[in-house]
Amino acid sequence: MLKIKTLIFSSVLLLFFGPVTLAQKGKYPQRKDVLKLIDKDYKVGIEQYKLMMKRLGPQDFPKTYFPASDKAENSGSGWWCSGFYPGTLIYLFEQSKEQTLLNESERIMKVLAKEQYNKTTHDLGFMMYCSFGNLEKLEPGAATETILINSAKSLMSRFDPKVGCIKSWDSKPNDYLVIIDNMMNLELLFWATKQTGDSSYYKVAVTHANTTMKNHFRSNYSSYHVLNYNAATGAVQQKKTAQGFADESAWARGQAWGLYGYTVMYRETRDKKYLEQAQNIARFILDNPYLPADKIPYWDFDAPNKPNALRDASAAAVMASALLELYHYSDKQLAKKYYTTAETIIKNLSSPQYLAAVGTNGGFILKHSVGSIPGKTEIDVPLTYADYYFIEALKRYKTAKF
Ligand code: GLY
């Protein structure tokens, strides 16, 4: 009887909402208190980004801010984070329809556009898909599409079939460095195949993800940060860290990039092995004894000085956004765990501990992220990608759109 009722209910849903609704397996009702917080967060975000846009020079992209000196650190368009500012503005515009946010986003993207030809970085997915990709979803257009296709071509130029990966960082001739973060750049390639019908972008994304799945992960599904492949043979010659506590530690943002990356892989291919990979990474993160009760991770799961080690709001924001997609693809029990964890993260990032008071924080929305402790840069500061993935998580909670 229950099955018949479910069948009738599903058919009615299908009739009214189309097949997407049925893909949203395990969907949970939105909590009113969380929705209320989200509305407040958007208001704060919009005011903060209006402040930020006033502080920036015409060619500047925000990077971070130091409250003690009220000084911002900005970058040019070639820095890996240059897509997050326009991308966040687009998300804020979608919510508020305030034209000034879209205008600013389009202004800065004119400065960013030249990076479509940049073949010296693997970060083109972050830079161009979080910006132009979001613009294309909002207002599809030939000029944006050309920029995205050129960006995908530039990214493809860094793929070597011998290694089976896109090269992350250039270094000595015999080295071929690939970082887990690179999983985030693949979404651009899937878009390029859908747009052009040329499957080579799709194949490179799948090959990169498969090689990474084989070599980057430990048996507990935590990941190394950096793999050094032999450029001539493709063999793994080193597994190490750059931004984590130690080679064998689990750098928090790296785990978040992997979680998000394999969730996208499942969305784009529907290959169950990627879903299992994402769920296994989620298990490492969520069942980790060192994940604090508020679900804002320490900067590294193995950081010394816990519980006094610094937290990384950016890793939390990436995790929340990824979990708010992954839960749609997961069975009831896991879906509930992912959904409620994302709610907990949103609630805690919305607290005064992490959310900036309007008019402070140099216009950034969140406080307390960690760029690189080993590199002694961006320690316990606001960061553009924390803001971007936080606002994306809010959107995903409200609209279930990816
Ligand atoms: N390499 C990008 C990051 O810091 O996560």
Side-chain angles (χ1 to χ4, degrees), residues 31-257:
R31 285 175 52 149
K32 284 207 177 97
D33 59 334
V34 177
L35 287 171
K36 227 167 136 183
L37 274 181
I38 287 177
D39 283 342
K40 183 200 75 178
D41 295 342
Y42 270 121
K43 284 194 183 111
V44 171
I46 289 160
E47 289 315 307
Q48 287 297 87
Y49 269 58
K50 284 185 189 165
L51 169 64
M52 187 183 277
M53 67 176 82
K54 283 193 203 128
R55 294 178 59 108
L56 290 171
Q59 306 284 315
D60 286 345
F61 291 78
K63 218 172 149 184
T64 188
Y65 168 78
F66 303 100
S69 55
D70 187 32
K71 285 250 160 34
E73 190 178 306
N74 302 319
S75 74
S77 60
W79 179 240
W80 75 276
C81 300
S82 53
F84 297 124
Y85 175 56
T88 305
L89 286 164
I90 291 170
Y91 283 152
L92 294 174
F93 167 77
E94 281 176 343
Q95 168 69 19
S96 65
K97 300 288 177 259
E98 285 199 41
Q99 193 59 39
T100 165
L101 300 168
L102 187 59
N103 292 349
E104 171 64 0
S105 169
E106 288 175 339
R107 179 197 70 77
I108 198 70
M109 279 193 280
K110 288 199 181 93
V111 184
L112 178 59
K114 60 178 171 297
E115 301 303 331
Q116 65 190 292
Y117 302 113
N118 186 345
K119 294 190 174 136
T120 68
T121 177
H122 74 131
D123 285 317
L124 286 167
F126 282 123
M127 293 157 70
M128 308 309 270
Y129 200 70
C130 296
S131 52
F132 291 97
N134 280 341
L135 183 64
E136 172 69 8
K137 286 182 210 159
L138 183 70
E139 294 173 350
T144 307
E145 284 152 17
T146 303
I147 291 169
L148 285 167
I149 289 162
N150 287 335
S151 305
K153 283 182 184 156
S154 298
L155 182 56
M156 292 277 281
S157 74
R158 297 181 66 79
F159 178 75
D160 184 334
K162 256 193 323 296
V163 177
C165 275
I166 294 164
K167 190 198 272 183
S168 298
W169 295 332
D170 295 336
S171 92
K172 289 184 286 190
N174 287 338
D175 290 351
Y176 194 103
L177 301 176
V178 181
I179 63 175
I180 187 67
D181 324 30
N182 208 338
M183 286 300 303
M184 298 296 286
N185 293 311
L186 305 180
E187 200 173 352
L188 169 65
L189 300 182
F190 286 112
W191 176 88
T193 282
K194 281 183 270 187
Q195 183 65 24
T196 61
D198 175 353
S199 63
S200 56
Y201 303 100
Y202 183 105
K203 284 180 188 153
V204 163
V206 163
T207 306
H208 181 98
N210 290 347
T211 308
T212 300
M213 208 160 117
K214 185 164 146 233
N215 296 325
H216 244 92
F217 287 86
R218 305 182 181 101
S219 57
N220 64 0
Y221 294 96
S222 69
S223 54
Y224 289 91
H225 186 196
V226 187
L227 255 73
N228 183 7
Y229 292 92
N230 182 310
T233 65
V236 176
Q237 42 191 22
Q238 263 179 314
K239 297 186 177 194
K240 53 186 188 171
T241 197
Q243 285 162 258
F245 167 62
D247 290 345
E248 287 300 327
S249 74
W251 174 51
R253 198 164 51 254
Q255 312 316 304
W257 293 144

Side-chain angles (χ1 to χ4, degrees), residues 289-294 296-301 303-311 354:
Y290 296 125
L291 182 67
D294 63 10
I296 314 295
Y298 298 107
W299 68 279
D300 189 304
F301 282 91
N305 306 328
K306 295 187 291 288
N308 298 320
L310 290 173
R311 307 294 192 91
Y354 288 99

Side-chain angles (χ1 to χ4, degrees), residues 34 37-38 40-42 44 294-297 311-321 324 341-357 361 364-369 385-394:
V34 177
L37 274 181
I38 287 177
K40 183 200 75 178
D41 295 342
Y42 270 121
V44 171
D294 63 10
K295 313 295 181 198
I296 314 295
R311 307 294 192 91
D312 181 10
S314 77
V318 175
M319 285 171 191
S321 186
L324 284 170
T341 303
E343 280 179 325
T344 303
I345 294 175
I346 289 175
K347 279 197 274 184
N348 288 310
L349 291 181
S350 305
S351 72
Q353 170 67 13
Y354 288 99
L355 191 77
N361 211 33
F364 286 84
I365 301 167
L366 291 180
K367 302 177 274 185
H368 303 306
S369 289
Y385 41 100
D387 287 3
Y388 177 86
Y389 289 101
F390 177 58
I391 297 296
E392 184 178 86
L394 305 186

